[in-house]
């Protein structure tokens, strides 16, 4: 059996190694147009910033090492120009010599990945406008920085690569501005949760131009001008385009293979395309979202590696199936860790699901053990069924552990109510006896059993301030004095039982505290005394972070980029 693989890196290299492990006699050829067949895409920003100092550390395997171990022919600087499924051949160009030749195959695997989205804007080809997707891209950026010592940079886009590059450039002392058309960074997160990411970026000197659209670039005497819609240009020494990726599917399209979302390659759960004996994996393929069941694109290394293994199994006569992607991800944002899995609230709504949520602020480990830090958790579940839909967590330690527990719970089909029963490890330096994941389950269980009812940030503007409701802040007097929501009266929770006469009966009571715990206790006190009450999801800490962030974003938009 002869297998030709187009593209290395995650899916292609994984498939090649797996095929060899399953079939010692197969002839395996990988064509890779770059000079690198297996490298760490996710490490590229850290090389630019000097965290990864040796460029060789980005390369997981070389053509020689791969051949020595797996007897796979890794032909770098070879670009596949076309595929011909009807003849089972591909047309290849040697980029070093210019020679073109045809290569036959019994099985063909397409692993071209995705390419940086490069909009057709004026000036997009200026030499100081970079993209970051390959090792060569990272080397170009690093070389430019070493030679020209830029003092400022504009990053267009607000996803993983942009944030990681922003941190790396700031660590080099470069002034950084991120321009993003939506009014938030990191689309896997809901806008309220993204507020904590925005705050961390600003804390480390990154300027955020959110809600602005890039319309082009122009060279100036002092650098490069970034042209923005309806406002003055930004000036910088360099620009990095990080506005997303586009499936690199032109070979499949030209060969007549069926395409899906955004011209991605359509595959079944065996990673088979519409053409016989042609498979496809990675960022170029359409997948099913594991939670919503909808067709989507999810460009992450984990799914690409899994798909490469599945395709290899099936190429070798097995019957492996890909069960869908749920978008589990984590990112370092300076001192913060931000992680997500499954659907966010806006994604659940777009999928036509009726979703509810809990928001809590647990400690990363036992409060009495030194060094614990708060995290903010948002768990999304389906109304009525309590099916887990997704989660987002932002904090300083223990975030990755909790998101992986929740990702596993979703994959295993556990309900949100099952979270309270998970038997998770505990020692004071690592967790609490009631782990944050358990705490989310307890809150959801209380909602399911009518022990507590919630109100949310989006209800703030609709709350009447005419006396029809009682708005109650149960924090201490000192906390209340430092900041509170207009219209809320202050009765600390420990004084509540003795001051119930101050709360008029027959009116709904909307309760808030700093994190949600004291207001929950207050809600139980009030309910036990006949009051109709609702607890705020997230607490004043959450409210304050989100509202302040929105004010800063709107102010920057309204005053012509006086960025905060």
């Amino acid at each position: 059996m002869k297998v030709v693989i187009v593209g290395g890196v995650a899916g292609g290299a994984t498939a090649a190694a797996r095929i060899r492990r399953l079939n010692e006699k197969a002839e395996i050829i990988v064509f890779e147009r770059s000079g690198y067949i297996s490298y760490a895409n996710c490490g590229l920003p850290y090389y630019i910033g000097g965290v990864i100092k040796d460029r060789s550390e980005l390369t997981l395997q070389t053509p020689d090492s791969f051949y020595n171990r797996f007897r796979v022919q890794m032909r770098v600087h070879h670009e596949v120009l076309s595929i011909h499924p009807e003849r089972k051949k591909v047309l290849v160009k040697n980029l070093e010599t210019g020679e073109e030749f045809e290569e036959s195959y019994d099985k063909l695997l397409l692993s071209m990945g995705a390419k940086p989205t490069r909009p057709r804007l004026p000036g997009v080809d200026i030499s100081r406008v970079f993209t970051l997707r390959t090792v060569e891209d990272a080397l170009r950026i690093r070389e430019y920085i070493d030679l020209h010592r830029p003092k400022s940079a504009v990053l267009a886009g607000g996803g993983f690569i942009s944030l990681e590059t922003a941190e790396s450039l700031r660590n080099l002392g470069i002034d950084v501005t991120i321009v993003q058309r939506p009014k938030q960074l990191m689309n896997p997160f809901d806008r309220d949760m993204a507020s904590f990411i925005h705050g961390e970026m600003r804390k480390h000197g990154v300027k955020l131009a959110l809600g602005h659209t890039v319309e082009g670039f122009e060279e100036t005497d002092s650098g490069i001008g970034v042209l923005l819609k309806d406002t003055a240009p930004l000036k910088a020494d360099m620009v990095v385009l990080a506005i997303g990726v586009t499936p690199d599917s032109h070979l499949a399209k030209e060969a007549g293979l069926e395409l899906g979302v955004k011209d991605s390659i359509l595959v079944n759960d065996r990673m088979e395309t519409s053409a016989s004996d042609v498979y496809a994996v990675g960022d170029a393929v359409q997948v099913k979202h594991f939670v919503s069941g909808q067709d989507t694109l999810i460009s992450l290394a984990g799914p690409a590696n899994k798909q490469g293994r599945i395709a290899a199994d099936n190429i070798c006569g097995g019957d492996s199936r890909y069960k869908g992607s749920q978008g589990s991800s984590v990112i370092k944002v300076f001192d913060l860790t931000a992680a997500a899995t499954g659907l966010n609230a806006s994604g659940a709504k777009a999928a036509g699901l009726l979703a509810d949520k809990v928001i809590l602020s647990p400690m990363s480990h036992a409060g009495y053990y030194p060094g614990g830090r708060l995290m903010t958790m948002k768990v999304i579940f389906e109304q009525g069924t309590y099916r887990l839909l997704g989660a987002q967590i932002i904090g300083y330690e223990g975030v990755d552990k909790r998101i992986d527990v929740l990702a596993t719970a979703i994959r295993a089909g556990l309900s949100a109510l099952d979270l309270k029963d998970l038997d998770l490890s505990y020692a004071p330096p690592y967790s609490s006896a009631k782990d944050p994941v358990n705490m989310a389950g307890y809150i959801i269980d209380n909602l399911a059993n009518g022990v507590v009812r919630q109100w949310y940030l989006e209800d703030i503007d609709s709350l009447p301030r005419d006396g029809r409701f009682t708005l109650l802040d149960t924090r201490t007097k000192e906390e209340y004095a430092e900041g509170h929501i207009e219209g809320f009266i202050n009765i600390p929770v420990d004084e509540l039982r003795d001051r119930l006469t101050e709360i008029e009966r027959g009116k709904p009571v909307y309760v808030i505290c700093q994190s949600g715990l004291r207001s929950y206790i207050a809600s139980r006190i009030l309910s036990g005394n006949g009051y109709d009450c609702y607890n705020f999801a997230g607490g004043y800490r959450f409210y304050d972070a989100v509202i302040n962030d929105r004010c800063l974003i709107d102010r920057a938009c309204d005053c012509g980029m006086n960025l905060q």
Side-chain angles (χ1 to χ4, degrees), residues 200 330-339 360-377 392-404 426-432 435-437 541:
E200 186 73 4
V330 64
I331 183 172
K332 177 183 179 294
V333 185
F334 292 99
D335 298 327
L336 272 181
T337 300
L360 57 157
S361 301
M363 293 287 284
S364 57
H365 61 244
Y368 60 83
Y369 188 88
R373 304 289 297 273
L374 283 174
M375 64 177 71
T376 304
M377 296 179 63
Q392 301 154 59
I393 312 177
I394 298 176
Y396 294 92
E397 63 175 41
V399 169
D400 53 341
K401 169 183 175 179
R402 274 68 187 216
I403 205 68
D404 283 343
Y426 158 62
Y430 302 105
S431 184
S432 301
D435 187 85
V437 175
R541 170 181 172 271

Side-chain angles (χ1 to χ4, degrees), residues 6-322:
V6 183
V9 196
T14 294
R18 177 68 172 172
I19 292 168
R20 174 58 70 227
R21 288 194 292 268
L22 295 177
N23 187 330
E24 181 64 20
K25 303 301 182 182
E27 181 183 0
I28 308 168
I29 304 173
V30 178
F31 292 114
E32 169 59 49
R33 63 187 167 202
S34 76
Y36 302 85
I37 51 93
S38 181
Y39 59 87
N41 298 68
C42 301
L44 299 180
Y46 301 107
Y47 172 73
I48 291 170
V51 174
I52 298 173
K53 299 185 182 302
D54 188 345
R55 59 190 279 183
S56 66
E57 293 176 1
L58 295 171
T59 305
L60 307 178
Q61 292 277 359
T62 66
D64 287 342
S65 69
F66 214 96
Y67 181 80
N68 291 337
R69 177 159 295 181
F70 298 111
R71 290 300 188 268
V72 170
Q73 300 177 49
M74 288 287 186
R75 300 184 185 176
V76 297
H77 298 133
H78 281 69
E79 182 177 7
V80 173
L81 302 178
S82 60
I83 60 178
H84 303 280
E86 73 285 355
R87 296 192 289 118
K88 287 198 169 185
K89 289 187 177 181
V90 296
L91 178 63
V92 186
K93 181 177 183 178
N94 184 326
L95 298 179
E96 294 179 349
T97 66
E99 174 196 4
E100 294 185 8
F101 60 93
E102 285 194 329
E103 190 76 52
S104 63
Y105 65 82
D106 296 311
K107 305 285 185 179
L108 176 66
L109 175 63
L110 305 178
S111 178
M112 291 96 69
K115 54 190 176 183
T117 301
R118 200 173 181 91
R120 296 177 180 177
L121 297 174
V124 73
D125 294 322
I126 293 173
S127 62
R128 281 178 285 188
V129 177
F130 300 91
T131 58
L132 180 57
R133 182 68 177 177
T134 67
V135 172
E136 288 91 344
D137 293 335
L139 296 179
R140 280 192 290 270
I141 294 173
R142 179 71 175 266
E143 181 181 26
Y144 177 83
I145 291 171
D146 290 343
L147 287 176
H148 300 282
R149 302 294 179 186
K151 295 181 179 179
S152 59
V154 168
L155 308 183
F160 290 95
I161 292 295
S162 181
L163 267 64
E164 290 165 347
T165 303
E167 180 175 347
S168 294
L169 295 179
R170 285 297 297 141
N171 289 339
L172 295 175
I174 297 173
D175 289 334
V176 176
T177 301
I178 295 178
V179 182
Q180 167 87 329
R181 181 162 50 191
K183 289 189 175 183
Q184 72 164 86
L185 303 174
M186 294 299 294
N187 287 334
F189 295 82
D190 288 313
R191 188 179 172 190
D192 51 12
M193 292 294 286
S195 299
F196 294 92
I197 298 174
H198 301 167
E200 186 73 4
M201 299 297 282
R202 295 188 187 103
K203 175 182 172 184
H204 287 85
V206 177
K207 300 180 181 70
L208 303 181
L210 305 179
H212 289 276
T213 301
V214 175
E215 293 196 323
F217 310 93
E218 61 182 10
E219 290 196 89
T220 67
D221 293 338
S222 58
I224 187 167
V226 182
L227 308 177
L228 303 177
K229 184 178 181 179
D230 298 329
T231 194
L234 293 174
K235 296 179 181 179
D237 296 323
M238 62 180 292
V239 171
V240 178
L241 288 178
I243 57 178
V245 293
T246 302
D248 193 354
S249 59
H250 70 282
L251 291 178
K253 185 175 184 178
E254 291 163 4
L257 275 61
E258 291 185 25
L259 303 180
V261 176
K262 295 182 179 178
D263 276 353
S264 57
I265 303 172
L266 195 63
V267 294
N268 60 18
D269 60 359
R270 288 170 46 87
M271 310 313 299
E272 296 170 320
T273 71
S274 59
S276 178
D277 293 322
V278 179
Y279 298 75
V281 300
D283 294 351
V285 306
Q286 175 180 291
V287 297
K288 291 285 185 184
H289 196 286
F290 183 80
V291 178
S292 70
Q294 294 182 321
D295 295 330
T296 189
L297 292 172
I298 294 181
S299 299
L300 293 169
N305 276 279
K306 295 179 183 70
Q307 292 161 14
R309 178 187 174 94
I310 288 167
D313 287 351
N314 295 324
I315 285 171
C316 293
D319 187 24
S320 292
R321 307 276 174 163
Y322 188 65

Side-chain angles (χ1 to χ4, degrees), residues 461-477:
D461 293 337
S462 63
L463 288 179
R465 305 300 204 270
D466 58 4
R468 285 181 289 155
F469 293 178
T470 297
L471 309 179
L472 177 63
D473 188 323
T474 60
R475 296 176 297 156
T476 65
K477 295 177 182 178

Side-chain angles (χ1 to χ4, degrees), residues 498-514:
D498 297 326
R499 297 176 61 180
L500 286 176
T501 56
E502 299 177 32
I503 303 175
E504 187 176 343
R505 292 189 177 275
K507 292 182 179 180
V509 185
Y510 284 70
V511 192
I512 194 171
C513 72
Q514 188 68 10

